[in-house]
Amino acid sequence: MTMEAERTLRADETTELGELAAQLRVDAIRCSTRAGSGHPTSSLSAADLLAVLVSRHLRYDWANPRDRANDHLIFSKGHASPLLYAVFKAVGVIDDEELVETYRRFGSRLQGHPTPALPWVDVATGALGQGLPVGVGIALAGRYLDRLPFHVWVLCGDSETAEGSVWEALDKAGHYGLGNLTAIVDVNRFGQRGPTELEWDLDTYRRRVEAFGCQALVVDGHDLAAVDEALGRARRATGPTVLLARTVKGKGVPEVENEPGWHGKPFKPDLAERAVEALGGVRRIRVAGPRPEPAPPPVTPAGAPPARPRYEVGARVATRNAYGDALRALGARPDVVALDGEVSDSTRADRFAEAYPDRFFEMFIAEQQLVAAAVGFQVRGYRPFASTFAAFFSRAYDFIRMAAISGADIALSGSHAGVEVGADGPSQMGLEDLAAMRAVHGSTVLYPSDAVSCAALVERMVDLAGVTYLRTTRGAYPVLYGDGEEFPVGGSKLLRGGDDDRVALIGAGVTVHNCLAAAERLADEGVRARVIDLYSVKPLDRQRLLDAVRVTGGRLVVVEDHYPEGGLGSAVLEALADLAEPVRVTHLAVRGLPTSGTASELMDQAGIGVAAIVAASRAALSGT
Amino acid sequence: MTMEAERTLRADETTELGELAAQLRVDAIRCSTRAGSGHPTSSLSAADLLAVLVSRHLRYDWANPRDRANDHLIFSKGHASPLLYAVFKAVGVIDDEELVETYRRFGSRLQGHPTPALPWVDVATGALGQGLPVGVGIALAGRYLDRLPFHVWVLCGDSETAEGSVWEALDKAGHYGLGNLTAIVDVNRFGQRGPTELEWDLDTYRRRVEAFGCQALVVDGHDLAAVDEALGRARRATGPTVLLARTVKGKGVPEVENEPGWHGKPFKPDLAERAVEALGGVRRIRVAGPRPEPAPPPVTPAGAPPARPRYEVGARVATRNAYGDALRALGARPDVVALDGEVSDSTRADRFAEAYPDRFFEMFIAEQQLVAAAVGFQVRGYRPFASTFAAFFSRAYDFIRMAAISGADIALSGSHAGVEVGADGPSQMGLEDLAAMRAVHGSTVLYPSDAVSCAALVERMVDLAGVTYLRTTRGAYPVLYGDGEEFPVGGSKLLRGGDDDRVALIGAGVTVHNCLAAAERLADEGVRARVIDLYSVKPLDRQRLLDAVRVTGGRLVVVEDHYPEGGLGSAVLEALADLAEPVRVTHLAVRGLPTSGTASELMDQAGIGVAAIVAASRAALSGT
């Protein structure tokens, strides 16, 4: 089953690589034992693979991690961080003291799992099955946009191939012919709590990989020459390669080799000492791998400044349409890339795709890969916009969470929010997306009510840091704002209001329209109500709320097309949590499980329609 | 490529099946045209498959949908609901008027995508790639626990095979040898916005399916005899089968057959009229398919009443350990099943696995399948507990969202919550889980602070309706409560308090211990602080909060090991939103991106440690 290697290594080269591999093992053991936690055995199995890769195949200028010509190295099995950091020592970018004395310590950049706190790390890993999908994004950028000969190398664990996201990634790698991508799977046959599902059944791995459109190379992961030959073939391949390396967990330390029960367990000092001695002791080998060919400077054609789409006040335009229009306008910037999960005719990303087909990437119905690819594109300096239904970003929530830890700058647009979706029913309705997206570290959450504000916010999104989420609405509603109006992130709009308002109606997105209609009705009854469009859900315009509290005596009615927990209502309450004066917030949200129906039937049923807002306002005024 | 069918059907049978298929097509067209929305072409492609399945293979007593012997039919491609509902008419459980006049209407049970509002629907579908993973759970129950000969038939779309969850499901189907499971893939080569990735490349589908351990049968999906023969083979197979049916989208309506641009578009009335006429008009065929063999009544051995594990007050016990102990104790109930995502030695589900190996199911690192299998087990009446790290349930958020729409009763236990995780770093820390889980419709969210309350709550979870989430802590903390103390869902505990308290410290889980220590320090300074353990995050004990507001003059300090949005702080604020008296909530939460470190270093850094609580309390009292 194992490939016969062409013996390309000279004896002295093999010796050198063996010495380096021993150093990597020794250092992985030392740092994890010193830390008292970590995954030495998962590092030992892959040490030979990394010794060969770093010495002979990874083209990387370690002094210039931002060099566009550099290869990319991603540890999808992020728990093997002792090995990665041992590599960093071997190439000379960290010293032995930092490695051994700070690994996993408070304040150290050598965290338990790698993050971009280290300049040689593209993305945070540690949630398994994510490194390869991100690698696909980087390779897409390299092949289709950068057109540079860098290669993307991803070290995967065998356990993580149980994640469906790995197969989404291999499928896309094959579909897009990513010859610049190699996954190296460290098949050490053990997961955390015991044997993996396939153990050393390399043949099944091979058949799966090939069926998904990738070249499979099966090697003994401890045969340095075989690994060298396979990595060379992988680099020369015209399509993606998966190197299936049969390895031994704990390799090099006979007491733990191929033994269960050693996952995630550092060696006790006495075992570590014996192991280090048996491996030949501490070394100070410094390896200089191949360097990249110099890359030409990035081509940044002077695109026309984006022309924001224009809409007439009062015209009925769906905000998802405005998203498509604005994204297409942004396409004048050559760094803007769009991706979609096979629903671009619904999210309106197809308007970008028509204008800029070369910068549109179809991810089909694979939302995990959709978000991961966006993360990959931003690693290469692009500004990706990824779109699908609001509800279906829930499929990629772990990827979004990890994108935040990576400090990734990605823009997400979720269409078909709330019960406003109508006849399609609850499976298609984003009703927990505001809660989920607000809770992402450092995120920005935007929910415009009309086409003008939506287009303006999309224009802002392109330069925002971190994960940005835009929520758009399926149906068409009147344009509320005039051209040229500005919509800063963290701002809001007072659509209606005066100094004698007795209640404030606060909405975002579709409920802004309901609030406006309710304010009209209340005015007919002689009750003055202000209407606030909280289009920026995170960050929130606290000052606008404070003004409303002051004017109305603290009578706020917050209306959202979302479940009651964690959404707009919570955002308002969080912003006013420590206010001294009394605030009474009436919170209208979707409390039951929706069904099919028209948008207005469902909003009325949920108690977020006009009548409910009027009634809540009356009740707030009567103090009941 | 297409299998040669053994012609097992007589001519009259073929004619009958053809008539039934025509009726299904006609009815799918009529109801969607009448509704003005829906997916007729996606229904037309699968009509022949369903005609044969329902007439000759699906063993189902339509009058008794709860019969344990019934086969299961899941429309993973839930958008083909017109076809499913046309089947329901053909078997006589709904009438023509309900079908045509109520489909997708407000108040109808015939929603845009199927939900268990219909007694013949096991689970809600409409988020693609979920029906098959749930089917795996049902088949696991059938093969390993029920030991009944029912079969699980899942109709899948071809587009949805792009979802990694489909491959997680096939992998598990193969691994567990689920001969009682058949996926029927309707390969009509079109997705929503255009051709699928593989179009009619049946051979690639076949190789993928086989590599994942399933039998692949390739048939012409409009050849009734071939379909009949394949379904028969599928039922007789000893392993799982994937029937790859080459079909034509829009089949039977020449104007739309195999044409792009028709996804999710109902026919205009004139086209519908022509199509119905060409198909032979409206029929009233009533089909009676095969019935199941009577099943023996369920064996419910009188298990010993679960003995709650006991802990000594003051002993240091991690709540994850208490979860494992309590789950093991619950195992005395024969309907309790446990599943884990290959981390049972961390979540402590291994304590159940050791005692009840026959009712423990290893899902390996495939969290989507983990949750889906739990949903499948509860379809069969079991009480599943699924566990992984709190952070990794984010991988299955779409499945959890859909479980709520299914009205599924599942218990989830997320370990390793918050920065308390320590050295492993942020990728392993559940820090947005409370927000995400609270926002799930009808969910219950529990976060115990000690082993006694944790064990008591696990005991309650087994009988709770809906999605229940338990958050457990990695580290060991002192037991606070005595044996026999009760912990109702929706309750809380006043751990320390009197009528002259000046501030209330409110925590859950690990922060309860910090609050207690802070209250001690404040007491030393002469400041009386009450401490509330809000172990039930949803539903919340509002009365306890009202009491605290009354006694302290509205000075609350809420402390949580979670990001600031949507978690415990929001839950408290939501509960007090409409209170007339002033409340000032100081909200301590994790506002930065954590790193590695010890639990106490990281809690101190995040400002949720003892010193921060003391400082916040002082500030609240001084009114700054």
Side-chain angles (χ1 to χ4, degrees), chain B residues 97-145:
Chain B
E97 186 181 347
E98 180 175 9
L99 174 63
V100 178
E101 296 303 326
T102 81
Y103 177 53
R104 283 178 167 253
R105 298 291 168 84
F106 183 68
S108 169
R109 58 182 181 167
L110 303 185
Q111 298 183 30
H113 294 75
T115 80
L118 293 158
W120 318 282
V121 173
D122 292 320
V123 287
T125 51
L128 291 171
Q130 298 206 15
L132 187 60
V134 171
V136 165
I138 299 173
L140 280 170
R143 169 159 183 188
Y144 291 97
L145 301 179

Side-chain angles (χ1 to χ4, degrees), chain B residues 143-144 151 173-174 176-181 213 215 232-241:
Chain B
R143 169 159 183 188
Y144 291 97
H151 202 89
Y176 284 105
L178 301 179
N180 55 348
L181 176 72
Q215 168 181 230
R233 278 177 65 184
R235 175 142 222 149
R236 293 188 303 271
T238 53
T241 297

Side-chain angles (χ1 to χ4, degrees), chain B residues 534-556:
Chain B
L534 271 188
Y535 63 82
S536 180
V537 178
K538 178 185 175 189
L540 202 70
D541 187 351
R542 184 166 185 265
Q543 189 55 53
R544 179 82 65 195
L545 298 176
L546 295 179
D547 292 346
V549 167
R550 183 180 44 77
V551 170
T552 66
R555 286 189 208 91
L556 311 184

